[in-house]
Amino acid sequence: MADDAATPVVAASTSAVLDDEHAIVRGLWRGIDVFRWLALAYAVWSTWERHEQIAHLALGVAVLGVLAGWTVAVTLQPVRTVRAYAIELAIGCSAILATRLVDDPQVITAGAKTIPSIWPTAAVVGFAVLRGWRGGLAAASFVAACSFVEVVEPTPNTVTNSIFGLLLGGCIGYCVDLARSSHEALAEAMRLDAARAERDRLARTVHDGVLQTLAFINRRATDLGGEAARLGAMAGEQERILRTLVSQTDLAEVGRAVSGDADLRGLLRHVERDGVQLVSPADAVLLPRRVADEVVAAVEAALDNVRQHAGEDAQAWVLLDDAGDEVAVTIRDSGRGVPSGRLEQAVAQGRLGVSSSILGRLSDLGGTATVSSGPAGGTTVEMRIPNRRTARPSHRHHGHQPDRIADRQAGTRTQGRGAS
């Protein structure tokens, strides 16, 4: 009960982590907002400190006004996009270049601060947060290039500030990349933990009810035999899959249990009963599970036709053969056979048992199915399914002995092949 009650709490906390951005990234966004205001205040103070040296003070104040307007706008309505920070970077670099219009060339050459001072660094850090170390280095390089253009003759301060900007953008971007990677790893781990916790909760319910019921059906049906054995085999197969789902800790193993390869011999074992003999290779005949299930359904449909139309005393043989690049399943019976044109007549009357359940299934799988009858009776349904999972050249044939049994008991050997 305690585990069941804790499950919603675990799911809620997992969802909160997955939907939330990393704490380091959130802290950097808040730091950029604060830094932008501090950098603006520093730019205003620097301009006021040397206002007597500025040739066009009004233009310098106008530049500061543009910086202040952008700072207010992004504070009231934060936008964390590349486009927004590209605009901010363009504003900062334009302010750097505008310093040549504000100051005299000799003042700039003497090493005077630019009008925006360190304000463009906020855009550099923003690109580092958005695009990692590559974005930070690109933005810092752009600011450094504008600084060298503004000063014309590089000064020690220009070189130092440019190197500092490159280091700042690259290091912060690298830290952000690491933070995001760790956040993704944590989120994936929490997803897996939540999935396992939910599967464990369901496993207890399934194990106490469904699995025990399926196991009981399998045992009782096997003891009863006959038609019940088929039901028992189906219950046993579903029990195996369900037990894998609720007991495996490896999620990849769960996927293989549901959608991996299946041994066609085991899936066809339930068709063998009084009047039906199954002959199969000694080795496993592996097919993708979906393909194997469709083949089993087609075989069951063919045996249903034998029971309905071949007569009460008819015998049937199911021959399974693995030729490497294809799998062949042949169903032969000792019944009355199918009169010529009977299958076409059944389709015209809307009776699609053979056409849909057998021929249609094999066509969907990329295989072929043929139905033929011999002159003395008996029907042969031959199915051929391409085995795309392997291209082994070996050929294992196991149909010769059943052929002789069929000929001896049915009194005839089916000949010819009339595909329908």
Side-chain angles (χ1 to χ4, degrees), residues 99-371:
T99 305
R100 293 201 62 84
L101 304 177
V102 174
D103 285 324
D104 291 329
Q106 59 271 21
V107 175
I108 296 174
T109 304
K113 294 183 178 67
T114 61
I115 295 298
S117 187
I118 60 173
W119 191 88
T121 307
V124 173
V125 178
F127 267 98
V129 176
L130 286 170
R131 289 293 183 263
W133 66 270
R134 293 180 179 85
L137 287 178
S141 300
F142 190 65
V143 172
C146 292
S147 298
F148 281 103
V149 170
E150 181 267 338
V151 77
V152 179
E153 296 180 5
T155 63
N157 284 339
T158 305
V159 175
T160 300
N161 293 337
S162 298
I163 293 176
F164 175 76
L166 291 170
L167 290 175
L168 185 66
C171 292
I172 291 181
Y174 184 70
C175 291
V176 170
D177 288 340
L178 290 179
R180 286 204 169 101
S181 298
S182 65
H183 181 68
E184 291 175 359
L186 175 62
E188 181 63 21
M190 294 189 70
R191 276 195 202 93
L192 293 177
D193 287 342
R196 290 191 179 98
E198 180 64 14
R199 192 180 69 236
D200 290 343
R201 185 183 70 83
L202 294 175
R204 290 189 292 272
T205 302
V206 172
H207 183 272
D208 295 340
V210 180
L211 287 179
Q212 294 185 8
T213 302
L214 290 175
F216 176 76
I217 294 174
N218 185 22
R219 290 194 303 269
R220 289 293 297 145
T222 302
D223 294 340
L224 293 173
E227 285 293 323
R230 175 183 175 186
L231 177 62
M234 295 172 62
E237 176 67 12
Q238 295 304 312
E239 180 200 1
R240 183 190 65 81
I241 296 175
L242 191 56
R243 191 177 296 277
T244 301
L245 288 173
V246 301
S247 63
Q248 282 288 342
T249 57
D250 184 3
L251 297 182
E253 184 65 27
V254 173
R256 287 191 292 269
V258 177
S259 58
D261 293 336
D263 185 2
L264 190 57
R265 299 177 311 160
L267 297 181
L268 286 175
R269 192 168 292 124
H270 69 277
V271 304
E272 192 168 20
R273 57 183 178 272
D274 293 340
V276 179
Q277 181 181 352
L278 172 66
V279 180
S280 60
D283 299 331
V285 180
L286 298 179
L287 287 175
R289 177 163 294 277
R290 185 189 68 84
V291 176
D293 290 340
E294 289 295 302
V295 173
V296 172
V299 172
E300 291 173 345
L303 293 177
D304 286 340
N305 285 333
V306 173
R307 286 192 295 270
Q308 295 177 18
H309 306 295
E312 296 181 357
D313 298 331
Q315 299 290 313
W317 298 267
V318 179
L319 295 85
L320 176 60
D321 186 28
D322 184 4
D325 57 346
E326 70 174 7
V327 174
V329 183
T330 304
I331 301 96
R332 297 180 178 177
D333 66 69
S334 59
R336 295 184 290 267
V338 180
S340 177
R342 183 68 185 91
L343 295 180
E344 292 80 358
Q345 182 182 358
V347 172
Q349 295 174 353
R351 300 170 62 184
L352 305 178
V354 173
S355 176
S356 177
S357 299
I358 301 177
L359 305 182
R361 273 196 172 96
L362 270 294
S363 177
D364 292 341
L365 297 177
T368 59
T370 58
V371 181

